[in-house]
């Protein structure tokens, strides 16, 4: 995409679409009179009478009739009351703009950034939300239909009208585009069918990602996992013909490999539930059980692009969970990479087993802080619904810093308690150190708490994205399917703590 590095004005802008923010009272918008003169119609009357809607996130499209204008159409974006406009609402509004642009196969736009400013949101921030929202909103799910011959419509050029310095606008748009591209890449991974995205192909993707951004990468295959004694991920993999992979990507920002933040993602490319088999409806959609892995890869892409001054390691345990004569089963006892033993009570509680070995490996590789991300339990949906990510932590200060990042990105996270009584139930077994499924009550807490048994005193956050990783229907920032949730929050978290350091 070409980002025009010269500011435009209403008369010089040559573009398919001019994007303008509108509220009921436009009097305080810089250069509003010039726009009214340029547009050449009774625009203020249309706003007053509702022909141009000003409700938050309302989209109105009007052709430009002026013979002098080099703009084909104006897309008006309703902002509601500017005093109530938030970054989340603005980002979502631009998501709807992105959908509109894609529908009309728009190739060039000009953003009048001053029309989106408020007392709290300067144009230099609004342009970031514009880039994020439009790119995420325009995303479509890759399909495999043989009858589809429609040309892919892409936005090719972006220009700006503003009183703000052009360098600030260009830099902000580039950052927003980097974030959105990483989210969309994660979505594409989540949406891939399990017969196409296997553990080995996910590892190949990670290798290519690392190569593109000069990151260190290590891929452990089945033989290497056996040599290291990673009995938990190997147990989950026993029923499969596809070999597992332990994927590690390192970004070293400082001379010494210290003060390292570790992202650990669940990469189960398809989950049947094993012998604790899912229902026929429960099986559908299990291609997305690697949403945590996608979030880690998306975050590492952003980190590779922006190069924050913070050491980061991403570890992904990847396999599928299948059924065969070799598959693991209830009553089995396995030995994890940490040496702890686990009694298997439920083969559909496999993600926590994969992550047990993965967080242990991340610690061995130098992680001083841990955040694991997983589509782990249906229990988090029962507790919080489909729009909230559930969290556990063993370190309040660490979690609060992360929560600031999630607030900034608009990805809602809610902490649940992990009590000593919960831990006792996870540790209850006549034959092993732990059991992998204490009960269906408090399911999300037991799932995350099990992973917590392997982190020790390391500051740790568990994120259960089972509800938020997949959208059941189209929404402002994307279509039905994988959402790429937590990509932006993880990367923002790293950026903010790097700034503090």
């Amino acid at each position: 995409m070409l980002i025009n590095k010269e500011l435009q004005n209403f008369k010089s802008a040559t573009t398919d679409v001019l994007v303008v923010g509108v509220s009921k009272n436009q009097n305080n918008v810089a250069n509003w009179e010039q726009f009214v003169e340029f547009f050449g119609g009774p625009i203020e009357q249309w706003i007053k009478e509702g022909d141009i809607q000003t409700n938050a996130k309302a989209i109105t499209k009007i052709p430009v009739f002026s013979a002098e204008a080099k703009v084909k159409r104006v897309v008006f974006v309703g902002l509601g009351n500017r005093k109530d406009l938030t970054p989340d609402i603005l980002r979502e509004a631009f998501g709807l703009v992105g959908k509109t642009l894609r529908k009309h196969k728009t190739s060039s736009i000009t953003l009048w950034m001053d029309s989106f400013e408020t007392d709290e949101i300067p144009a230099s921030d609004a342009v970031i939300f514009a880039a994020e929202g439009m790119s995420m909103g325009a995303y479509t799910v890759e399909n495999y239909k043989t009858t589809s011959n429609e040309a892919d419509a892409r936005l090719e050029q972006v220009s700006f009208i503003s009183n703000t310095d052009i360098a600030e606008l260009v830099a902000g748009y580039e950052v927003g585009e980097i974030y959105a591209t990483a989210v969309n890449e994660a979505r594409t991974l989540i949406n891939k069918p399990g017969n196409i995205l296997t553990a080995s192909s996910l590892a190949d993707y990670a290798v290519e990602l690392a190569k593109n951004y000069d990151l260190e990468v290590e891929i452990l295959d089945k033989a290497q996992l056996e040599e290291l004694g990673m009995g938990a991920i190997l147990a989950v993999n026993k029923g499969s013909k596809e070999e597992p992979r332990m994927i590690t990507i390192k970004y070293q920002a400082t001379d010494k490999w210290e003060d390292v933040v570790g992202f650990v993602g669940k990469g189960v490319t398809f989950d049947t539930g094993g012998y604790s088999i899912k229902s026929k409806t429960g099986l559908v959609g299990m291609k997305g059980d690697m949403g945590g892995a996608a979030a880690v890869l998306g975050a590492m892409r952003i980190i590779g692009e922006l190069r924050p001054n913070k050491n980061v390691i991403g570890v992904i345990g990847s396999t599928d969970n299948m059924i065969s004569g070799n598959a693991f089963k209830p009553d089995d006892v396995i030995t994890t990479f940490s040496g702890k033993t686990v009694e298997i009570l439920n083969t559909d509680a496999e993600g926590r087993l994969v992550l047990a070995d993965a967080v242990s490996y991340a610690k061995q590789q130098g992680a001083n802080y841990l955040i694991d991300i997983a589509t782990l339990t249906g229990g988090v949906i029962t507790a919080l619904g489909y729009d909230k990510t559930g969290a556990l932590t063993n370190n309040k200060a660490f979690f609060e810093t992360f929560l600031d990042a999630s607030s900034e990105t608009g990805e809602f996270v809610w902490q649940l308690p992990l009590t000593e009584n919960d831990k006792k139930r996870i540790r209850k077994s006549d034959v092993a150190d732990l059991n992998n499924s204490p009960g269906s009550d408090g399911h999300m807490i037991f799932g995350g708490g099990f992973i917590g048994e392997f982190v020790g005193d390391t500051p740790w956050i568990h994120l259960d994205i089972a509800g938020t990783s997949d959208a059941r229907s189209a929404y402002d920032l994307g279509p039905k399917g994988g959402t790429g949730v937590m990509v932006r929050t993880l990367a923002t978290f790293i950026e903010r703590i790097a700034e503090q350091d």
Side-chain angles (χ1 to χ4, degrees):
M1 180 192 296
L2 174 64
I3 302 176
N4 194 338
K5 296 184 179 180
E6 293 185 7
L7 282 171
Q8 304 296 299
N9 57 53
F10 298 120
K11 291 183 178 180
S12 69
T14 302
T15 188
D16 290 341
V17 170
L18 173 63
V19 184
V20 177
V22 287
S23 55
K24 287 186 177 180
N25 186 351
Q26 292 287 99
N27 293 334
N28 294 328
V29 176
N31 300 320
W32 176 248
E33 295 79 8
Q34 289 93 318
F35 174 71
V36 173
E37 180 183 349
F38 156 79
F39 191 78
I43 185 170
E44 292 177 313
Q45 182 181 343
W46 292 350
I47 291 174
K48 184 177 181 181
E49 294 179 354
D51 296 306
I52 296 175
Q53 298 181 55
T54 60
N55 294 335
K57 301 193 285 186
I59 303 294
T60 307
K61 299 164 289 183
I62 296 182
V64 176
F65 299 106
S66 171
E68 297 179 0
K70 301 173 185 177
V71 176
K72 295 179 183 178
R73 180 184 289 112
V74 176
V75 170
F76 293 96
V77 184
L79 304 179
N81 188 330
R82 286 180 188 267
K83 292 182 179 179
D84 298 328
L85 186 65
T86 65
D88 294 345
I89 293 173
L90 189 54
R91 187 186 294 110
E92 290 165 1
F94 275 113
L96 295 172
V97 172
K99 292 175 184 288
T100 301
L101 298 178
R102 186 174 187 92
K103 179 180 178 181
H104 290 281
K105 300 182 187 293
T106 304
S107 62
S108 65
I109 63 167
T110 297
L111 297 167
W112 180 19
M113 292 313 308
D114 297 347
S115 68
F116 293 97
E117 282 192 314
T118 70
D119 291 340
E120 302 296 328
I121 305 173
S124 55
D125 287 346
V127 74
I128 300 174
F129 309 139
E132 286 183 343
M134 287 191 298
S135 184
M136 291 167 64
Y139 174 81
T140 58
V141 177
E142 182 182 68
N143 70 65
Y144 305 90
K145 296 180 180 180
T146 57
T147 55
S148 178
N149 59 4
E150 187 175 351
D152 191 25
R154 292 185 181 275
L155 188 60
E156 297 174 358
Q157 181 171 319
V158 176
S159 301
F160 305 103
I161 296 172
S162 180
N163 290 332
T164 300
D165 181 70
I166 184 64
E168 286 189 59
L169 297 177
V170 170
Y173 195 92
E174 287 175 343
V175 168
E177 186 68 17
I178 286 168
Y179 268 74
T181 298
V183 170
N184 290 341
E185 281 284 314
R187 290 169 165 178
T188 296
L189 288 173
I190 294 166
N191 291 327
K192 283 187 179 294
N195 63 320
I196 294 175
L197 185 70
T198 61
S200 58
S201 59
L202 187 65
D204 291 341
Y205 178 93
V207 169
E208 189 66 23
L209 175 69
K211 179 181 176 182
N212 289 342
Y213 297 105
D214 194 26
L215 307 174
E216 184 181 338
V217 63
E218 175 193 70
I219 308 297
L220 300 179
D221 61 20
K222 184 176 182 179
Q224 292 168 306
L225 296 176
E226 289 173 339
E227 185 177 346
L228 288 169
M230 292 199 182
I233 187 173
L234 287 167
V236 176
N237 180 253
K238 283 180 69 176
S240 179
K241 292 183 179 180
E242 295 286 343
E243 286 199 358
R245 294 289 187 269
M246 188 67 73
I247 302 163
T248 302
I249 300 177
K250 290 182 180 179
Y251 167 74
Q252 184 163 347
T254 63
D255 292 337
K256 292 184 178 180
W257 185 243
E258 60 186 12
D259 201 33
V260 180
V261 177
F263 296 152
V264 183
K266 173 186 172 183
V268 175
T269 57
F270 193 84
D271 180 20
T272 66
Y275 276 110
S276 305
I277 192 168
K278 296 178 183 291
S279 67
K280 63 179 181 180
T281 54
L283 282 165
V284 177
M286 284 298 104
K287 65 182 182 181
D289 210 18
M290 36 60 65
V296 170
L297 291 168
M300 295 305 293
R301 172 182 288 272
I302 296 171
I303 290 164
E305 286 263 17
L306 299 180
R307 318 301 289 188
N309 189 38
K310 192 70 180 179
N311 295 323
V312 184
I313 184 171
V315 177
I316 294 166
S318 187
T319 179
D320 50 8
N321 183 20
M322 304 298 286
I323 300 172
S324 75
N326 295 323
F328 80 134
K329 54 196 180 295
D331 289 342
D332 283 358
V333 175
I334 65 171
T335 303
T336 66
F337 178 55
S338 72
K340 290 183 178 182
T341 56
V342 180
E343 179 184 9
I344 304 302
L345 300 181
N346 180 358
T347 61
D348 195 22
E350 87 299 331
R352 65 200 70 178
L353 299 174
V354 172
L355 287 169
D357 279 352
V359 296
S360 297
Y361 193 65
K363 285 182 63 178
Q364 188 197 74
Q365 295 300 302
N368 304 107
Y369 306 87
L370 289 167
I371 303 176
D372 78 78
I373 313 98
T375 48
L376 203 68
T377 67
V380 73
I381 300 171
T382 302
L384 299 178
Y386 286 94
D387 62 339
K388 304 172 194 71
T389 292
L392 300 177
T393 188
N394 64 359
N395 189 293
K396 183 178 179 181
F398 182 49
F399 180 73
E400 287 180 350
T401 303
F402 178 83
L403 208 57
D404 289 340
S406 75
S407 178
E408 184 175 338
T409 60
E411 295 186 318
F412 190 95
V413 177
W414 189 259
Q415 182 186 355
L416 280 80
L418 176 61
T419 67
E420 289 303 315
N421 189 55
D422 297 326
K423 295 175 185 178
K424 287 179 181 178
R425 291 183 63 182
I426 295 167
R427 296 166 185 165
K428 185 179 180 181
S429 172
D430 294 333
V431 295
D433 298 319
L434 309 168
N435 77 80
N436 79 324
S437 185
S440 57
D441 60 313
H443 192 198
M444 180 270 174
I445 295 170
F446 292 137
F450 180 90
I451 300 163
E453 293 294 310
F454 297 85
V455 304
D457 295 328
T458 304
W460 160 73
I461 298 168
H462 164 68
L463 300 172
D464 193 336
I465 59 172
T468 52
S469 182
D470 188 84
R472 296 183 296 166
S473 60
Y475 62 113
D476 294 345
L477 289 174
K480 177 183 177 182
T483 63
V485 72
M486 288 297 122
V487 168
R488 291 183 299 118
T489 297
L490 292 172
T492 298
F493 174 70
I494 294 299
E495 282 208 278
R496 297 300 168 259
I497 60 175
E499 291 167 356
Q500 292 171 10
D501 291 348

